[in-house]
Amino acid sequence: MDTARAARAHIIWTSIALVFILIASCLTYVFMSKVHGCQAISTVNVSAIESMFSRKSFSREQWLLTARDYNTNNYLIWEDEWRGYTDLHESILDQSNVSMVIQEKGVYLVYIQINFQLHPQKDKTSTELKILVDFGFDGKKELYSAAHDTQNVSVPYHEAKLNTFLLMKMQPTSQLSVKVFPSECVNYTPRPFSSFITIVKWADNW
């Protein structure tokens, strides 16, 4: 079973690396421009990202986390897919498995993908999907909308995907958590592309 999970993790990581390289050149998402420790950007240098994935030694600041459940406040509960596969790897998660705590100062590429399994509801023809990111640093916390969509649900079973790229400047002890709506409809079933977050240190600074 460990071998299967390791293989699945490597498949996901390889796919995400390719997505970063292909999409990074047109990244225009502006995020958290007024949050201390974060800065908005308009584009990402593709050659820099290609260099990041081709270099022989990676920073230990890289994680792949899969959603396993949610708590009463609709925050996702995560599981570290890579923890235990290398002796040096330590989990980024806090004790609640809700918040990710950054250890190294730097600029990070963050990709969040949430898969929803939707069903028709009485007196409603559409369902709002939301990803909210809770960012904390130096004792302050701010909740920001990272992605939003509205899906028309007219069949008994409808699957929808919501995702977002973020480029964030973070400090040691910066904390990141993800809130989703509707949390009860998130697909938590493990598979190569279910509901997950990947975080990679891109540079020491920008």
Side-chain angles (χ1 to χ4, degrees), residues 26-58:
C26 61
L27 179 65
T28 56
Y29 190 85
V30 177
F31 182 71
M32 294 185 179
S33 60
K34 59 182 180 180
V35 180
H36 181 71
C38 289
Q39 184 173 333
I41 65 159
S42 57
T43 59
V44 175
N45 187 300
V46 176
S47 62
I49 295 182
E50 290 175 341
S51 174
M52 177 187 72
F53 285 110
S54 63
R55 68 191 183 198
K56 293 183 179 179
S57 60
F58 283 86

Side-chain angles (χ1 to χ4, degrees), residues 42-165:
S42 57
T43 59
V44 175
N45 187 300
V46 176
S47 62
I49 295 182
E50 290 175 341
S51 174
M52 177 187 72
F53 285 110
S54 63
R55 68 191 183 198
K56 293 183 179 179
S57 60
F58 283 86
S59 164
R60 69 183 179 87
E61 301 293 290
Q62 51 179 318
W63 300 276
L64 174 64
L65 309 171
T66 52
R68 287 292 177 257
D69 205 345
Y70 66 98
N71 63 19
T72 55
N73 295 319
N74 296 304
Y75 284 98
L76 291 178
I77 298 174
W78 303 95
E79 181 178 277
D80 191 336
E81 284 289 335
W82 287 346
R83 187 175 188 181
Y85 293 118
T86 61
D87 294 336
L88 298 178
H89 185 71
E90 297 180 0
S91 180
I92 189 177
L93 292 169
D94 65 2
Q95 292 182 348
S96 68
N97 288 341
V98 169
S99 295
M100 290 146 266
V101 184
I102 300 301
Q103 301 300 316
E104 291 183 8
K105 175 183 176 181
V107 180
Y108 290 81
L109 276 170
V110 180
Y111 176 75
I112 306 171
Q113 176 174 301
I114 306 297
N115 277 8
F116 295 90
Q117 295 178 338
L118 305 176
H119 301 275
Q121 301 180 22
K122 289 184 177 180
D123 302 324
K124 290 182 67 176
T125 58
S126 62
T127 299
E128 284 192 321
L129 310 178
K130 296 180 181 179
I131 297 178
L132 304 178
V133 173
D134 196 334
F135 181 74
F137 174 69
D138 198 23
K140 300 177 181 178
K141 296 187 72 175
E142 297 287 346
L143 187 65
Y144 286 85
S145 177
H148 177 270
D149 192 18
T150 300
Q151 290 283 327
N152 293 322
V153 184
S154 58
V155 295
Y157 172 83
H158 178 77
E159 186 168 316
K161 179 172 66 177
L162 191 60
N163 51 43
T164 185
F165 280 93

